[in-house]
Amino acid sequence: AHDHSHEGHTHSQAAAAHDAVAPNTLHFSTEQQKMIEFAIEKVKPSTFNGAVKVAARVEAAPGNVTTVVATNAGRVHYAGNVVEGKDVRAGEALFCLDGSNVTENDAAVKFAEAESNYRVAKADYERKASLYKDNVVSLKELQTAEATLKQAEAHYNSMQGNFSNGKMVLKAPMAGYIASLLVDNGAYVAAGTPLAQIQRSGEVNIVAELPVRFASALTNITGVNIELTDGTVCSLDEVEGRVLAVGRSANSCNMVPVTVAARRLDAVVPGSIVTLHLSMSLPEGQTRLAVPRTALVEEMGNFFVFVH
C-alpha cells in the first residue's frame, strides 16, 4: 500500500521481480549453495547406455533336466524312500509299475509276448541257417530271419532289464537329484504319464520378460549384471554367461522374452528369482542428452533435473 526506499530499491520493485519469476523456477543463493554439495555441469549430446532392471526366473538348461514317464499303464509304487531333493545315480530304480489289474497294456503280458517273440525268432533263424547250408532256403530268407531275430532280441533285452517280479521298474536316466515328484505313491497312471523330474547341476537359463516397447533396444544389449537375492551382483564374465536368445515376437501378455545362460551360478537353484540389469546402447550414430544420476531429484516417484 505504500512505497519507500531501502538501500537503493523499493519493496514494490522486489515484489514485481518476484511475480515475474517463471513457473518451475527456484531462487538458490550462493549462501545456500555453500551449505550443501552443489555443482553445475554443462550437458551435451553423447553416446548413452540405457539400463533396464527386471526380475527373472532361473531354470535348468534343457540338457540338465529330464522327465521319467510311465512306459505302460498301472499303479505306481515308489522304489524305496523316494523324496524330492534326493540324490540319485544313473540307473537307480525309482518306481515300479504294477499292471496286474489292467486289462490293457499289462507289463507282464507285454514282457511274456516279447520273450515269446524272441524265442520264436531265434528258433526260426537257427532252422533257416541250417537249411541255408543245404541250399534249401535263399540268402535273402536267412537275412530276413536274422533281422527279425535281432529286433526281437533287442526288445526282449530292453524289457528284461526293466522287469522284476511281474512289475515294470523305471530307473533314473541320469545322475542328479529329484527336482519334483509328479504322482503320489499308489496312484494309477496311464502310459506316458510324467512321474518325476530329474535335474543335475550345471548350466542354467535365466529368463526375463520385458514390455514390448523395449523390443528394438534389446537388439543392442552391451552387458548384463545378475543381482542375487542376497544383494550380490556379478557380471556375465564371472559366471561364464552369455545372452542366449532375445525374443523376436511378443507373447500373449505383450512381453518380449530374454534368455541369459550361465555356467557358474552355483549359489542359485532352478526355480528361484534373480534380478537382471540389462545395459543397452543406442543405435550407431544416435546420441542423447545424458546427466549424472546425482543430478536427479526425486519427489513422490517423479524425477526432476534443475537447469541453470
Side-chain angles (χ1 to χ4, degrees):
H2 64 277
D3 295 338
H4 65 273
S5 295
H6 180 68
E7 295 181 357
H9 70 273
T10 65
H11 285 284
S12 61
Q13 289 174 336
H18 182 272
D19 293 339
V21 172
N24 297 327
T25 300
L26 295 178
H27 288 288
F28 201 65
S29 67
T30 302
E31 289 73 18
Q32 291 173 310
Q33 295 175 22
K34 292 178 180 179
M35 296 172 63
I36 66 170
E37 293 183 4
F38 182 83
I40 297 174
E41 182 176 322
K42 193 170 184 179
V43 178
K44 59 183 179 180
S46 63
T47 58
F48 180 76
N49 288 337
V52 177
K53 179 180 179 181
V54 59
R57 66 182 181 275
V58 180
E59 301 176 350
N64 292 326
V65 59
T66 187
T67 302
V68 181
V69 299
T71 54
N72 57 277
R75 195 172 299 279
V76 178
H77 298 285
Y78 290 0
N81 191 13
V82 177
V83 294
E84 292 185 354
K86 179 184 178 183
D87 291 330
V88 295
R89 304 181 308 274
E92 180 178 344
L94 298 178
F95 306 100
C96 294
L97 283 175
D98 184 2
S100 57
N101 295 322
V102 181
T103 56
E104 296 181 1
N105 213 17
D106 184 0
V109 174
K110 293 174 66 176
F111 178 72
E113 290 177 351
E115 184 179 17
S116 176
N117 291 337
Y118 166 65
R119 297 188 183 282
V120 169
K122 183 179 181 181
D124 183 58
Y125 171 75
E126 291 175 348
R127 182 179 63 85
K128 288 184 177 180
S130 178
L131 294 175
Y132 175 74
K133 293 179 180 179
D134 298 330
N135 295 322
V136 176
V137 299
S138 65
L139 177 61
K140 182 178 180 180
E141 290 178 292
L142 178 62
Q143 290 174 337
T144 301
E146 183 181 13
T148 303
L149 171 60
K150 289 182 178 180
Q151 186 177 18
E153 184 179 17
H155 183 53
Y156 170 68
N157 290 337
S158 175
M159 292 199 66
Q160 187 180 40
N162 298 295
F163 196 80
S164 176
N165 298 324
K167 299 178 182 179
M168 184 64 68
V169 179
L170 301 180
K171 302 176 181 179
M174 68 179 186
Y177 64 92
I178 301 175
S180 60
L181 289 171
L182 306 177
V183 294
D184 295 327
N185 188 35
Y188 174 83
V189 297
T193 302
L195 305 181
Q197 277 196 331
I198 309 297
Q199 290 185 8
R200 61 186 176 191
S201 302
E203 186 173 84
V204 296
N205 290 339
I206 305 173
V207 183
E209 293 184 343
L210 284 84
V212 71
R213 68 176 183 272
F214 292 105
S216 59
L218 290 175
T219 60
N220 298 308
I221 296 177
T222 57
V224 179
N225 285 335
I226 304 169
E227 182 179 349
L228 308 183
T229 54
D230 62 359
T232 304
V233 179
C234 50
S235 66
L236 282 187
D237 291 339
E238 292 174 319
V239 297
E240 295 183 12
R242 67 192 187 282
V243 178
L244 187 63
V246 175
R248 300 186 182 183
S249 60
N251 59 22
S252 58
C253 298
N254 210 30
M255 305 289 278
V256 178
V258 177
T259 303
V260 175
R263 291 183 179 275
R264 298 174 59 86
L265 202 59
D266 300 332
V268 178
V269 297
S272 59
I273 302 297
V274 298
T275 301
L276 292 185
H277 298 264
L278 305 174
S279 299
M280 295 169 288
S281 64
L282 293 171
E284 187 175 356
Q286 293 190 15
T287 59
R288 292 288 189 272
L289 286 177
V291 300
R293 287 188 60 185
T294 51
L296 299 179
V297 178
E298 187 268 339
E299 183 178 349
M300 298 184 68
N302 296 315
F303 290 87
F304 303 90
V305 173
F306 286 100
V307 179
H308 181 270

